[in-house]
Amino acid sequence: MFNKLQFIHPNIFNITKRKEFVADLSLNGYVDHAFEFAFNMTFGAEGHHRDHRTGGQHQRQKAELFINAFQGKLAEFGVYRKLTDNKIDVNKPDLRIMGAGLWDDFDFICGSKKISVKSAAHFSNLMLLEQKDWSKNGAYIPNLEGGNSQYDYFIFCRIKPDGKQMLRDHKDIFLKDEVDKIELKRLIINGQSWLIDIAGFIAHEDLVSIINGEFILPQKALLNGKTEMDAANYYVQSGDLHPLSDLVTELKSSI
């Protein structure tokens, strides 16, 4: 059962089902790979990352795009490690640099099951899916023409520390379109302990349920009375996610 956020008129939505951050793994062995990928996708100008969310208005700084890509790739490495530790055979995280209009059809595939990994900062308690990206039957609209529009599972991960805040604290980096790679790497990697909490997952049928149940956090809503939402999102609270152990069992039974 999924629980809706508490609504307070006119536009406040409060989290009611939290889950404490509990580190599953250290990601320090993967930060170099994630850094190179994220840098090349953004500051390196080899790839392309959207500077705004679907339906969103906020134009993201390159540093914000960088940390989103870095955090997302770290999350993929964490999930890969956790699944392979449980004897689940999946592909390694994709480190190819994608150009404009190109993106992965999925993050992982296990047998015939396609898995998407969603990441957020360690304090987040919502898995968010941009509303305009999803059809009523849970198909990912940008992939409809390619035929790979349905994911079987969505895994939600939280990463610590908060990389976005680290960069915001260094405005000489955060506000620039060009940065010194060595300086950025020193800030992100040196002395940092990167950790992941794999909070849980939902299945495709759960996604359809939250879409039909209108689990929507509207654009410009105030999350917990303070964070304004840039775009409308479907959501699942972290305390409502299925445990990863259930996914491991399902994947093993499907092979």
Side-chain angles (χ1 to χ4, degrees), residues 17-35:
K17 298 286 288 185
R18 299 177 183 273
K19 185 175 184 180
E20 182 182 356
F21 179 96
V22 178
D24 288 296
L25 295 167
S26 168
L27 299 172
N28 283 0
Y30 307 107
V31 291
D32 283 317
H33 293 304
F35 179 91

Side-chain angles (χ1 to χ4, degrees), residues 61-193:
Q61 300 283 348
K62 272 194 177 180
E64 192 173 352
L65 298 174
F66 163 81
I67 205 64
N68 287 347
F70 175 75
Q71 172 183 278
K73 196 55 65 175
L74 275 184
E76 290 179 34
F77 275 111
V79 169
Y80 171 77
R81 166 75 182 278
K82 196 72 173 178
L83 291 180
T84 54
D85 281 354
N86 280 279
K87 312 302 181 186
I88 302 293
D89 185 22
V90 294
N91 55 287
K92 291 183 178 180
D94 190 349
L95 294 173
R96 292 176 299 165
I97 306 302
M98 300 291 192
L102 299 173
W103 49 82
D104 294 334
D105 290 336
F106 50 83
D107 293 317
F108 296 106
I109 189 163
C110 178
S112 63
K113 303 297 184 182
K114 295 174 183 174
I115 301 171
S116 175
V117 176
K118 301 297 178 183
S119 64
H122 63 91
F123 51 79
S124 176
N125 277 285
L126 290 181
M127 185 177 78
L128 298 174
L129 297 166
E130 292 161 18
Q131 183 185 9
K132 290 187 176 181
D133 279 342
W134 301 92
S135 72
K136 292 298 182 183
N137 62 353
Y140 185 56
I141 294 171
N143 282 1
L144 281 174
E145 290 186 6
N148 290 309
S149 60
Q150 181 171 314
Y151 300 99
D152 296 286
Y153 301 106
F154 301 81
I155 301 176
F156 181 55
C157 305
R158 299 182 290 189
I159 304 295
K160 193 173 187 177
D162 179 5
K164 191 177 296 183
Q165 189 59 52
M166 289 168 59
L167 292 182
R168 282 177 174 158
D169 290 342
H170 291 77
K171 288 187 169 54
D172 55 322
I173 292 177
F174 189 75
L175 298 176
K176 288 184 177 180
D177 283 335
E178 295 183 11
V179 299
D180 182 86
K181 184 177 181 180
I182 295 175
E183 180 184 358
L184 179 61
K185 193 169 187 177
R186 186 182 300 117
L187 171 64
I188 294 297
I189 295 180
N190 286 5
Q192 297 294 339
S193 179

Side-chain angles (χ1 to χ4, degrees), residues 10-56:
N11 66 336
I12 293 175
F13 290 77
N14 292 325
I15 291 170
T16 61
K17 298 286 288 185
R18 299 177 183 273
K19 185 175 184 180
E20 182 182 356
F21 179 96
V22 178
D24 288 296
L25 295 167
S26 168
L27 299 172
N28 283 0
Y30 307 107
V31 291
D32 283 317
H33 293 304
F35 179 91
E36 291 297 327
F37 170 81
F39 189 89
N40 290 332
M41 282 290 289
T42 53
F43 293 112
E46 294 180 32
H48 178 77
H49 229 62
R50 293 185 302 176
D51 64 0
H52 63 280
R53 297 175 178 87
T54 305

